[in-house]
Amino acid sequence: MKTGAVLLDELRAIVGRRHVLTRDADTLAFRRGYRVGGGPVLAVVRPGTLVETWRVAQRAIEAGCILLMQAANTGLTGGSTPNGTADRPVVLISTMRMNRFWLIRNNQQAVCLLGTTLDRLETALKRHGREPHSVIGSSCLGASVIGGICNNSGGALVQRGPAYTEMALFGQVGADGVLRLVNHLGIALGREPEEILRRVEAGDFADRDIEAGAARGHDDRYAAHVRDTDSDEPARYNADPGRLFEASGCAGHLVVFAVRVDTFAAEPDPVVFYAGTNDPDVFAALRRRILRELPALPISGEYMHRDAFDIADRYGKDTVIAVETLGTARLPKLFAWKARVDRLARRLPGIPDALSDRLLQAASRLFPDHLPPRLREYRDRFEHHLMLKVGGPLAAETGRLLEQAFAGGDGAFFRCTPGEGSKAFLHRFACAGAAVRYRAVHRREVEDIVALDIALRRNDRDWFERLPPALDAPCLHKLYYGHFLCHVMHQDYVVRKGTDGHALERRMLAELDKRGARYPAEHNVGVLYEVAPTQAAHFAAMDPCDCLNPGLGTGQAIRRCDPVAA
């Protein structure tokens, strides 16, 4: 068994000394999750090529280390950061230096490397009138394509379902403890691992090398699936066995080097409708009619409760302004600045935690009101808010359906101007980050955030949660928002100081079990949720030695498997 010092010397020889980080201050941004998660690592390694990644992974596995793959570290459940329970040294590979991608088959598909972000892919496809699986407003800023695939991430786009592909290039550790390269991209790239990796990274393949119908590049059955509003099963959730396939849903139990995914024609001239009601039953009936009666599915249908509106209004204001003024391409630099400020602040005595959040929150107050007047009017009139985006050809029929739905006076709607529609969806997008900001600047009152990611049954009409008093009392704020047409809800509870958040979460999940909900819906198990049997079987098949991202899930023991000699 190699010592840590010997392994570190080998890793430095592969990627260069400056890309092997070992000091706590240098590794902190990689070790700590966006919301939860954090633990020690032997090293954070930042390879610059796929071949370097392959060699680093080989050395780490040979040394008996845990290997943890991390892209943008935007996960919400701690699944791509160490959690402090590892029984072996942890080597974390950051993939963000490898962000190339290739558009193939007349831009109908893309081959994406480890660090390709949805934002970069979206920008490139926009020139061709196409989109990736997820776009801004349905995913985290900076999120990677492969991270979405590995976690079956969902998003807001109703027609496309969870991120999914059956075409991937990945490293897999067998029961003998040996890392092997598997090419299921449907692209002829040679036979030797390093040759395959060099060629895919360089785009060194021609049309004749690409198998047209190799396998599915997205969940092409979801559009019909989500329309079945009589089903007792949720539309999508992470443990759904029908969407676990090799890299898809592997949750880091493979070293995924590249994926081949479908792209989608952008909807022409989209129109946004904004609706409000004080009766959740009205929205329940509206959801069924939209899914059953419209000739085509909407692009997205996003829900936000008034309390979430208010928290996002105050604590997500700078996010909306930053996206509008800087654009998504420049935001990673803002996040890097934010991380540097926080690292520096921790070294200085007397400086409060989350200094960057406090500065940004103070700065946001200097800007004028960022929300349109009609959104504010609906905030005052209605408790429940729905944003419905449809393609231009569907707008007239959608408008007629909404007029019928609200004819009884139990709500209202309006057709947004382009500016109003953009602001409405950005405001909804800011919800999740707003809860984190609230916690950062109210540490004296807030113990933590209990964040639940749940999938309701497709036939569930009693969709809006009413907590029993014993569960409601510890909550300072309850933030409800989500992907309403898919019945995927995000429920963030900002809990009072002194509350046992884990105990409260277990009690809330027990209530959800009674309702037939599944969880997690799209953020994967991380360290917050128990691993379902279907997922446990998938993880074990992909990683029988449990050396890649082991120990996911609450109460999930790390499976220590001694390699069997080949």
Side-chain angles (χ1 to χ4, degrees), residues 149-152 164-165 170 172 238-241 243-254 524 531-544 559:
I149 294 293
C150 291
N151 291 299
N152 282 143
Y164 179 84
T165 187
F170 55 87
Q172 182 173 18
N238 285 132
D240 185 346
R243 298 186 179 92
L244 300 175
F245 185 90
E246 295 181 345
S248 294
C250 74
H253 283 281
L254 297 171
N524 224 306
V531 179
T534 51
Q535 283 177 299
H538 185 57
F539 296 165
M542 295 298 98
D543 180 18
R559 293 179 285 106

Side-chain angles (χ1 to χ4, degrees), residues 122 131 135-138 156-159 267-274 290 294 296-302 386-392 394-395 398 402 416 418 421-422 424-426 485:
E122 180 184 354
E131 294 177 337
V135 298
I136 176 67
S138 67
L157 303 183
V158 183
Q159 306 108 321
E267 290 277 4
D269 304 317
V271 173
V272 174
F273 294 94
Y274 198 97
I290 289 170
L294 287 181
L297 284 173
I299 299 169
S300 59
E302 290 294 284
L386 180 66
M387 288 141 275
L388 197 63
K389 181 185 290 187
V390 300
L394 198 62
T398 303
L402 290 170
C416 295
S422 174
F425 273 91
L426 277 177
L485 299 183

Side-chain angles (χ1 to χ4, degrees), residues 438 442 445-447 472-478 493-497:
Y438 186 94
H442 293 281
E445 300 87 27
V446 176
E447 183 67 34
D472 187 76
C475 299
L476 286 168
H477 299 285
K478 304 186 295 294
Y493 310 90
V494 182
V495 299
R496 300 177 189 279
K497 203 71 174 176

Side-chain angles (χ1 to χ4, degrees), residues 50 102 111 169 185 189 196-203 205:
L50 300 191
W102 308 99
V111 176
L169 173 65
L185 281 175
L189 295 164
I196 293 170
L197 293 168
R198 285 193 185 97
R199 287 187 61 187
V200 73
E201 184 162 25
F205 47 86

Side-chain angles (χ1 to χ4, degrees), residues 337-466:
W337 167 85
K338 187 174 181 294
R340 284 196 297 270
V341 169
D342 286 339
R343 284 199 299 271
L344 177 62
R346 290 188 188 95
R347 300 175 187 174
L348 300 176
I351 302 297
D353 287 341
L355 177 62
S356 65
D357 280 300
R358 295 172 186 273
L359 292 173
L360 288 170
Q361 185 61 30
S364 70
R365 301 190 187 104
L366 302 178
F367 288 86
D369 190 1
H370 64 299
L371 292 180
R374 287 203 287 184
L375 266 64
R376 293 226 174 268
E377 177 198 348
Y378 268 51
R379 181 264 167 220
D380 294 338
R381 291 175 60 189
F382 301 116
E383 180 181 358
H384 305 282
H385 298 243
L386 180 66
M387 288 141 275
L388 197 63
K389 181 185 290 187
V390 300
L394 198 62
E397 191 155 359
T398 303
R400 287 193 291 271
L401 190 152
L402 290 170
E403 287 175 356
Q404 295 168 11
F406 297 117
D410 295 324
F413 77 98
F414 64 89
R415 178 169 171 160
C416 295
T417 65
E420 287 173 328
S422 174
K423 278 284 178 66
F425 273 91
L426 277 177
H427 185 55
R428 154 63 187 91
F429 177 74
C431 278
V436 176
R437 170 68 57 76
Y438 186 94
R439 177 182 63 183
V441 300
H442 293 281
R443 279 292 186 184
R444 293 181 179 179
E445 300 87 27
V446 176
E447 183 67 34
D448 207 346
I449 299 169
V450 174
L452 301 185
D453 163 36
I454 66 170
L456 301 175
R457 297 170 298 169
R458 278 171 281 172
N459 63 356
D460 196 343
R461 299 190 188 219
D462 188 18
W463 61 274
F464 186 69
E465 179 178 75
R466 302 291 185 187

Side-chain angles (χ1 to χ4, degrees), residues 20 95 506:
V20 178
T95 67
R506 288 193 295 270

